[in-house]
Amino acid sequence: MLHSFVVTAARPPFAYMPTMQAAPAFAGAMTPFLTALSGAGAQRASTSFAAAAAGEYTYLCTVPGHAANGMYGRLLVQ
Ligand SMILES: [Cu+2]
């Protein structure tokens, strides 16, 4: 199953296709869509970013329907 990761300043609820409302809050705070399983096993991605401003952010999956069905969480930067 496809998944992705982005940290955004947007808050839930999220639309079925959240990419327009979930721009990355920081440079590098996202991954591309991870592709489906292959014969080699699970896909993985990593990213790194500097959370340059304190605040409350949301991390979520931008694959259509995932964030709308709860695939998100809160990231608190202090
Ligand atoms: Cu997902």
Side-chain angles (χ1 to χ4, degrees), residues 8-54:
T8 181
R11 303 274 176 91
F14 293 103
Y16 180 77
M17 296 183 73
T19 51
M20 295 303 287
Q21 70 183 117
F26 309 106
M30 66 181 300
T31 67
F33 281 9
L34 299 176
T35 58
L37 287 175
S38 70
Q43 299 290 311
R44 68 168 63 179
S46 63
T47 188
S48 62
F49 61 92

Side-chain angles (χ1 to χ4, degrees), residues 1-4 60-63 66-67 71:
M1 176 173 280
L2 295 170
H3 291 290
S4 71
L60 64 103
C61 179
T62 58
V63 172
H66 291 200
M71 194 174 286

Side-chain angles (χ1 to χ4, degrees), residues 56-76:
E56 187 173 327
Y57 300 91
T58 304
Y59 63 87
L60 64 103
C61 179
T62 58
V63 172
H66 291 200
N69 285 294
M71 194 174 286
Y72 63 83
R74 187 173 73 145
L75 174 68
L76 192 58

